[in-house]
Amino acid sequence: MSTSTSRPTPAAPLDLVIFGGVGDLSVRKLLPALYMAHLHNNLPAATRIHALGRQVWERNEFVAFVQEKVRGFIEDKAFIDAAWVSFLERLNYVSVDATQAPDFHTLAAALQGGSDRVYYLATAPSLFVGICANLHSAGLIDERARVVLEKPLGHDLASARQINDDVGRYFQEQQIFRIDHYLGKETVQNLMVLRFGNTIFEPLWRSPYIKSVQITVAESVGVGSRAGFYDGTGAMRDMVQNHLLQLLCIVAMEPPVSLDPDAVRDEKLKVLRSLRPMTMADVARDTVRGQYSAGASNGDAALGYLQEDNIPDGSTTETFVALKAHINNWRWANVPIFLRTGKRMAARQSEIVIEFADLPFTIFQDSPHQSVNRLMIRLQPEEHIQLQMMAKEPGSGMKLRPVNLNLDLETAFSERRAEAYERLLIDVIKGRLTHFMRRDELEAAWTWVEPIINGWQQLNDKPKAYTAGSWGPAASSALMAREGSSWVEES
Ligand code: BG6
């Protein structure tokens, strides 16, 4: 019998491999998120991070690049020298041209001795198939490997299917993590708790008790330095097809039987498949495309979209979309769902507004205010929930006035709130798929969105101008007014 006091064998390292490792996403989001996870001891102890890029760099050159570029994306209060130094020790750089099979042997050498592997494809989707094929040929894909796919996942339904087919040749569906970073936001996850962790709203969460639903994701920033990507994409593909439809799914889905990935994703899929397809007449009547013109943003003059760097003359790309959707099922029959997103809007504000039905009859005939009950769920920049109720105005007479029940979640909890990418990266490492999109969800979203984009083309629908710093074109307000509603900031 051995008497040695044997120590547990240290776990083999987990390798996190970032294709596009020196790109914008890696610098602004992934590496800062990994630093935060490291700082809070949320990375498995033996995690190695390999950034891949075409630059022929030594490791120390990459580390210098990270020192210079990534530091600025970490809040000062979270920057701890010792943690930063130990984080840098986890980093490796591998010079890989994703299109060159021999380069993957260099990668294989760097991954020697590792156990689980996560491949994060933060590259143009046109490179996905080549990367997967080269990983496969180099023997770098086993059943424990995972792959993370960054958006844009397709330009239309056919290209989304192609990406899924291509990646699906090398990875099983349960190994594929399609990121929509909105699903990693604390506030968005909290929506599930608001709906399914409380009983009070559920009986009312349906037609005819809900009159309308509004989902707004407004940004104050413009296109910035992303003209090359954005001008060929537009707000519909960049925001509605993914982030807004995912929010809609969480608002509208039936209670899943559990938090198992497929239980949740089955319910979200049902919502996407229940979206009423838009006819050409619907597209003409129920959608609004906009493009910002010169104005002001946060007190500074702001250029119009067409004057931004590298935007082609006369571009008709939309930077704003508002539309009215319908969900064809018992819960949501006849409830208009308004979606709206845009760049260079009056404020950065993401909000879901559930407007409850009008009173069937009012006994307060003399009141200047009508009864309006609204549940307003602010997702960002701050996280709070307001329930707008009617109360009696003090004084004589029976006059009503709206007042808010306020729940400020940031003061209710003192715990740190991790950024979406940090939370999602940890989910990938732990193999938790619940907050990632399944193949059929992605395709169902494209199936609904594509006829709208095609409709705009066929109708030769030019985007309507809106002043930078406003809430969008007037047609967006008119869309609501036709249903007897108004956007929350107008009411
Ligand atoms: C990205 C879009 O997916 O989401 C960007 O490509 C957009 O155009 C961004 O600015 C918004 O994300 P967030 O987390 O800042 O609301």
Side-chain angles (χ1 to χ4, degrees):
M1 200 172 83
S2 163
T3 54
S4 70
T5 50
S6 61
R7 292 216 204 122
T9 333
L14 173 130
D15 287 302
L16 184 55
V17 180
I18 308 175
F19 288 86
V22 296
D24 199 48
L25 184 76
S26 178
V27 167
R28 285 189 306 114
K29 299 285 185 189
L30 304 181
L31 291 170
L34 289 166
Y35 165 74
M36 292 302 286
H38 168 83
L39 175 69
H40 293 281
N41 289 323
N42 287 333
L43 287 180
T47 305
R48 301 187 294 196
I49 300 166
H50 308 267
L52 271 48
R54 271 182 305 183
Q55 290 84 336
V56 183
W57 274 351
E58 295 298 325
R59 180 183 175 279
N60 58 356
E61 289 172 283
F62 174 67
V63 169
F65 168 85
V66 172
Q67 300 259 39
E68 189 196 327
K69 303 278 185 192
V70 177
R71 167 68 185 90
F73 293 99
I74 296 169
E75 276 185 75
D76 284 344
K77 68 174 193 270
F79 191 81
I80 313 284
D81 284 332
W84 179 246
V85 169
S86 53
F87 173 69
L88 295 179
E89 281 164 11
R90 291 186 184 274
L91 301 184
N92 183 28
Y93 178 77
V94 192
S95 176
V96 169
D97 178 338
T99 63
Q100 298 300 312
D103 286 6
F104 284 69
H105 297 297
T106 321
L107 176 62
L111 300 184
Q112 281 286 326
S115 59
D116 291 3
R117 285 164 191 163
V118 171
Y119 300 111
Y120 199 117
L121 309 194
T123 64
S126 53
L127 295 176
F128 288 0
V129 62
I131 292 175
C132 294
N134 286 333
L135 285 171
H136 172 76
S137 308
L140 291 174
I141 301 178
D142 61 17
E143 69 284 355
R144 294 162 64 106
R146 289 164 207 153
V147 66
V148 186
L149 307 181
E150 251 306 328
K151 69 183 272 272
L153 290 177
H155 194 72
D156 52 16
L157 178 60
S159 53
R161 281 198 174 128
Q162 189 65 52
I163 291 171
N164 284 331
D165 285 348
D166 289 344
V167 176
R169 263 184 272 144
Y170 303 100
F171 291 91
Q172 303 291 316
E173 180 61 30
Q174 68 276 12
Q175 297 176 285
I176 303 175
F177 291 70
R178 295 180 190 82
I179 276 218
D180 182 314
H181 78 280
Y182 267 60
L183 294 180
K185 290 183 189 267
E186 184 73 56
T187 48
V188 176
Q189 297 187 359
N190 198 30
L191 253 181
M192 300 259 290
V193 179
L194 180 81
R195 286 202 56 203
F196 305 127
N198 295 290
T199 52
I200 54 172
F201 294 119
E202 176 52 23
L204 298 175
W205 206 266
R206 62 189 65 246
S207 169
Y209 305 109
I210 291 180
K211 183 178 164 190
S212 72
V213 174
Q214 301 178 23
I215 302 180
T216 295
V217 177
E219 297 186 88
S220 55
V221 293
V223 65
S225 56
R226 295 167 77 221
F229 159 74
Y230 194 86
D231 197 63
T233 304
M236 188 69 166
R237 293 184 172 97
D238 187 40
M239 298 294 288
V240 179
Q241 185 274 339
N242 36 70
H243 305 324
L244 275 91
L245 287 185
Q246 286 295 318
L247 291 178
L248 173 59
C249 284
I250 299 176
V251 170
M253 71 203 242
E254 295 301 314
V257 293
S258 71
L259 280 182
D260 279 356
D262 283 337
V264 173
R265 298 186 301 177
D266 285 349
E267 297 304 337
K268 283 164 55 197
L269 178 66
K270 274 159 61 182
V271 174
L272 293 167
R273 289 195 172 152
S274 311
L275 280 167
R276 186 194 295 168
M278 285 215 195
T279 62
M280 196 76 95
D282 296 333
V283 173
R285 192 189 50 237
D286 294 340
T287 70
V288 177
R289 298 176 81 213
Q291 188 186 75
Y292 60 86
S293 55
S297 174
N298 299 324
D300 293 325
L303 295 176
Y305 180 72
L306 294 176
Q307 289 87 53
E308 300 267 23
D309 285 347
N310 302 320
I311 299 295
D313 288 346
S315 165
T316 56
T317 298
E318 80 281 353
T319 60
F320 174 97
V321 174
L323 59 82
K324 183 179 77 157
H326 283 279
I327 299 174
N328 278 344
N329 65 20
W330 278 40
R331 188 186 283 269
W332 296 108
N334 302 320
V335 179
I337 314 269
F338 297 98
L339 306 182
R340 171 176 66 156
T341 185
K343 295 211 181 280
R344 278 281 184 248
M345 291 180 65
R348 176 172 189 251
Q349 190 167 304
S350 300
E351 190 162 46
I352 296 168
V353 179
I354 310 290
E355 184 162 1
F356 291 97
D358 295 334
L359 288 181
F361 172 75
T362 183
I363 58 172
F364 305 106
Q365 302 286 356
D366 296 336
S367 175
H369 289 287
Q370 306 244 332
S371 283
V372 181
N373 291 142
R374 286 200 186 104
L375 180 67
M376 296 181 277
I377 307 158
R378 174 71 59 87
L379 304 175
Q380 54 189 31
E382 68 283 356
E383 183 184 2
H384 68 228
I385 299 175
Q386 283 185 338
L387 184 59
Q388 185 180 305
M389 322 265 295
M390 300 311 287
K392 181 184 169 302
E393 212 174 84
S396 66
M398 294 294 272
K399 296 203 172 119
L400 311 190
R401 198 196 290 170
V403 283
N404 290 328
L405 272 174
N406 278 319
L407 175 57
D408 179 345
L409 288 161
E410 283 164 30
T411 47
F413 295 102
S414 57
E415 286 86 346
R416 176 179 81 95
R417 307 171 99 65
E419 285 284 326
Y421 273 99
E422 180 184 344
R423 198 187 305 274
L424 292 174
L425 281 161
I426 300 298
D427 278 353
V428 177
I429 288 171
K430 299 210 161 145
R432 299 190 293 229
L433 273 161
T434 301
H435 301 298
F436 295 84
M437 284 182 297
R438 205 169 56 192
R439 171 180 183 144
D440 44 10
E441 274 183 86
L442 178 74
E443 294 181 7
W446 274 119
T447 302
W448 187 73
V449 159
E450 194 177 87
I452 303 176
I453 298 176
N454 292 345
W456 287 338
Q457 248 170 22
Q458 287 171 37
L459 293 165
N460 197 17
D461 189 51
K462 300 269 185 313
K464 299 186 169 50
Y466 63 98
T467 310
S470 70
W471 285 104
S476 155
S477 306
L479 176 74
M480 295 292 271
R482 284 202 295 277
E483 291 292 328
S485 292
S486 52
W487 295 109
V488 69
E489 77 280 352
E490 295 171 342
S491 48

